[in-house]
């Protein structure tokens, strides 16, 4: 995805344009060397816990395989009983991580190279079948790991809140409404999501400039 092309395209949108001008250049940079398997395990670790707690659990897991930057699925499956619990993972997270590891070892979770041959829709359909993995998690993988340029996570609170602020609305749009609105942002909907997240962030800091009513 060309950041410049995305910015130029979205700057012409009546709602997103002012946000683009407030925020400036897009700084969405996917993690180019991360495999989908690792991204999914990391996502499970971060579900419903503080970021520091999730990273502590992941670091304890990584310590089990010092010869690898991240534990391969086969080695996760070979861990002794209780090892994941000792890392701090809940029973639900353990079950999800083991399912992801099992499906990765079996080839169901594609490698980064294999994923490049699959469409966004095919990846979503395949990966939401994993335990503990929903559509939002796969969309985050598509944006932040695989760098897919045209993903709009309409179930994301921050994206909907960003649009509410940008459009000067009293309430957030429903996911289906935002999906229809977002069709105008194709083929740069991932960039649109990034700008909407930034609008929500600016508002939290009290720095968002609300649109002027005409």
């Amino acid at each position: 995805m060309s950041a410049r092309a995305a910015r130029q395209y979205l700057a012409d949108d009546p709602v997103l344009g002012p946000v683009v001008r407030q925020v400036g250049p897009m700084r969405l940079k996917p993690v180019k060397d991360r495999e989908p398997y690792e991204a999914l395990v990391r996502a499970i670790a971060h579900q419903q816990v503080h970021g520091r707690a999730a990273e502590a659990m992941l670091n304890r897991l990584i310590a089990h395989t010092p010869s690898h930057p991240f534990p391969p699925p086969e080695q996760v499956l070979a861990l002794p009983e209780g090892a994941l619990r000792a890392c701090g993972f809940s029973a639900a997270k353990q079950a999800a991580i083991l399912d992801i590891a099992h499906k990765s070892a079996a080839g169901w979770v594609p490698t980064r190279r294999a994923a490049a041959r699959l469409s966004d829709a095919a990846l979503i359909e395949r990966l939401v079948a994993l335990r503990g993995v929903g559509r939002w998690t796969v969309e985050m993988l598509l944006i932040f790991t695989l760098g897919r340029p045209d993903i709009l996570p309409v179930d994301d609170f921050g994206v909907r809140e960003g649009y509410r602020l940008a459009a000067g609305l009293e309430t957030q749009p429903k996911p289906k409404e935002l999906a229809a609105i977002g069709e105008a942002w194709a083929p740069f909907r991932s960039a649109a999501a990034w700008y909407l997240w930034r609008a929500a962030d600016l508002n939290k800091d009290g720095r968002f400039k609300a649109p002027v009513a005409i």
Side-chain angles (χ1 to χ4, degrees):
M1 171 170 48
S2 166
R4 178 176 293 181
R7 182 185 179 189
Q8 290 175 342
Y9 183 83
L10 298 174
D12 290 333
D13 185 83
V15 173
L16 276 184
V19 176
V20 172
R21 287 185 281 278
Q22 278 190 66
V23 173
M26 189 184 73
R27 297 183 299 278
L28 172 56
K29 293 183 179 179
V31 183
K32 293 184 178 180
D33 59 350
R34 181 165 290 171
E35 288 291 327
Y37 153 73
E38 178 181 346
L40 290 170
V41 172
R42 288 183 176 276
I44 293 296
H46 278 268
Q47 286 177 356
Q48 300 177 326
V49 298
H50 192 280
R52 289 184 200 169
E55 287 302 316
M57 290 187 285
L58 287 165
N59 286 336
R60 287 192 285 268
L61 175 61
I62 291 168
H64 280 285
T65 56
S67 60
H68 296 275
F70 195 82
E74 294 81 4
Q75 295 201 18
V76 169
L77 294 171
L79 289 173
E81 187 174 350
L84 289 176
R85 181 61 184 162
C87 291
F89 296 110
S90 66
K93 288 181 187 290
Q94 291 176 63
I97 290 170
L98 289 172
D99 187 50
I100 292 168
H102 177 73
K103 298 288 190 352
S104 297
W108 180 256
V109 176
T111 63
R112 191 179 185 96
R113 173 178 279 187
R117 298 191 292 269
L118 297 171
S119 68
D120 298 337
L123 283 166
I124 291 171
E125 182 180 2
R126 177 181 290 207
L127 297 179
V128 295
L130 297 168
R131 189 162 186 163
V133 176
R135 184 183 181 93
W136 179 87
T137 299
V138 182
E139 289 171 337
M140 295 305 102
L141 181 151
L142 290 171
I143 295 172
F144 294 106
T145 300
L146 299 180
R148 297 294 175 96
D150 201 28
I151 304 296
L152 184 63
V154 295
D155 293 310
D156 186 276
F157 178 90
V159 169
R160 297 204 314 274
E161 179 65 6
Y163 186 83
R164 182 189 75 79
L165 294 163
L169 303 176
E170 289 293 323
T171 59
Q172 292 183 0
K174 300 295 184 186
K176 284 186 178 179
E177 293 176 69
L178 188 56
I181 292 165
E183 289 179 6
W185 305 331
F188 300 113
R189 283 177 282 192
S190 297
W194 186 86
Y195 277 109
L196 293 173
W197 276 317
R198 299 293 75 75
D201 289 343
L202 286 173
N203 190 60
K204 286 179 187 176
D205 295 338
R207 296 188 291 121
F208 180 74
K209 298 173 185 176
V212 178
I214 299 175

